[in-house]
Amino acid sequence: MNESAAAAARRIGSACDGRVPRVALLLGSGWSPLAAALVPRVELDYAELPGFPALAVGGHVGRVRVGTLHGAEVLLLSGRKHAYEDGDPRAMKGAVQALAAAGVTTLLQTNAAGSLDPAMPAGRLMLLSDHLNLVQASPLVGERDDRRFVDMAAAYDPALAALARQAARQAGVTLHEGVYAWVLGPQFETPAEIRMLQRLGAQAVGMSTVPETILARHAGLRVLALSMITNMGCGLAAESLSHAHTLAGAARAADDAARLMAALLPMLESAA
């Protein structure tokens, strides 16, 4: 861990009076209504925290908020920096390392994704069982010790995944499950690329999450990840894809996302 991450961890710890939640929630595109539901006791802009990125994508505001969400104490990160912004998969490295140093033990990631499965239309939620790093880029390049050789056999914690399934049943929410394919973007995929991803065994595709999962596992954090399905992959439906379309599609899953989180977050807090 570098000094900027350590400094950010101290800043977070001080702002929280030493009471840093064990669960961190990273909000991706479409998940911002959860931030409005949080009752905060601490708010810090990314700009106040050494090593945290500057954000430039709509819906990603760049703020750390600590408080109560659906009855659980969480550290909420509103937004991530994507590798497509400057080609660097290490964009969230300082933030993830700071979380671990501050005392977080579990990272719940969220994202918006395109569906590759006709049985999983827009408006549904998907639990990540695994991922495909199609970019074949790593945020651990440059690390100097053997911890960089991270075992990714259980990148998405099986015990936490079981809690997510239990929470979905309790909330009455349909929760799909599948493999998430990470592509660099920012352009959307072609129909041929969508067919390729289907043949590789992916159920959803997006432009985030995988670098942060690698960073989190390197830092010793347990990871759970959820995709909000906002559209069908190119060529699978008659729709024109754009970032605005992604955000609009997210509204169709907002109610299910809120109900799932209301059941899931207390479970994660108890397990952390």
Side-chain angles (χ1 to χ4, degrees):
M1 179 177 59
N2 60 36
E3 179 54 35
S4 64
R10 291 192 295 270
R11 177 76 176 89
I12 292 169
S14 175
C16 293
D17 294 324
R19 296 180 294 119
V20 178
R22 308 278 278 179
V23 176
L25 170 57
L26 175 54
L27 296 184
S29 297
W31 293 83
S32 58
L34 289 172
L38 181 87
V39 180
R41 61 182 174 89
V42 171
E43 296 197 45
L44 298 166
D45 287 336
Y46 283 8
E48 300 177 58
L49 298 169
F52 275 61
L55 305 185
V57 176
H60 294 258
V61 299
R63 186 170 299 130
V64 172
R65 305 173 77 206
V66 176
T68 304
L69 179 59
H70 297 307
E73 278 288 303
V74 299
L75 187 155
L76 189 149
L77 288 84
S78 293
R80 58 162 61 87
K81 185 173 181 179
H82 300 72
Y84 63 67
E85 295 180 49
D86 57 14
D88 188 356
R90 299 170 297 178
M92 294 298 291
K93 184 174 183 177
V96 173
Q97 289 184 340
L99 295 182
V104 169
T105 61
T106 298
L107 176 62
L108 171 53
Q109 292 207 68
T110 63
N111 63 52
S115 175
L116 307 176
D117 181 356
M120 185 172 64
R124 298 292 181 88
L125 302 175
M126 189 188 89
L127 172 69
L128 273 65
S129 60
D130 208 338
H131 70 234
L132 293 172
N133 181 351
L134 294 178
V135 180
Q136 279 302 288
S138 174
L140 303 182
V141 170
E143 293 290 331
R144 301 294 184 180
D145 60 66
D146 284 350
R147 291 191 309 112
R148 62 186 161 176
F149 302 109
V150 179
D151 184 354
M152 298 296 287
Y156 302 94
D157 191 281
L160 299 184
L163 292 180
R165 298 185 197 102
Q166 179 183 340
R169 290 192 297 270
Q170 180 178 311
V173 171
T174 298
L175 182 61
H176 296 262
E177 189 165 348
V179 175
Y180 174 92
W182 175 42
V183 296
L184 184 60
Q187 75 284 344
F188 289 94
E189 304 74 39
T190 67
E193 288 168 336
I194 292 298
R195 294 193 296 271
M196 174 191 71
L197 296 176
Q198 290 175 315
R199 290 169 184 166
L200 289 175
Q203 282 71 50
V205 58
M207 304 173 190
S208 68
T209 304
V210 170
E212 298 90 71
T213 294
I214 296 170
L215 288 166
R217 296 302 301 129
H218 178 256
L221 302 181
R222 303 170 74 187
V223 180
L224 181 67
L226 299 167
S227 289
M228 180 178 285
I229 303 302
T230 58
N231 58 273
M232 297 303 297
C234 185
L236 299 181
E239 54 185 349
S240 180
L241 301 181
S242 67
H243 186 62
H245 180 275
T246 295
L247 296 178
R252 299 165 64 178
D255 288 345
D256 279 357
R259 295 204 313 276
L260 177 61
M261 286 297 187
L264 176 58
L265 288 173
M267 294 181 184
L268 294 181
E269 183 181 37
S270 295

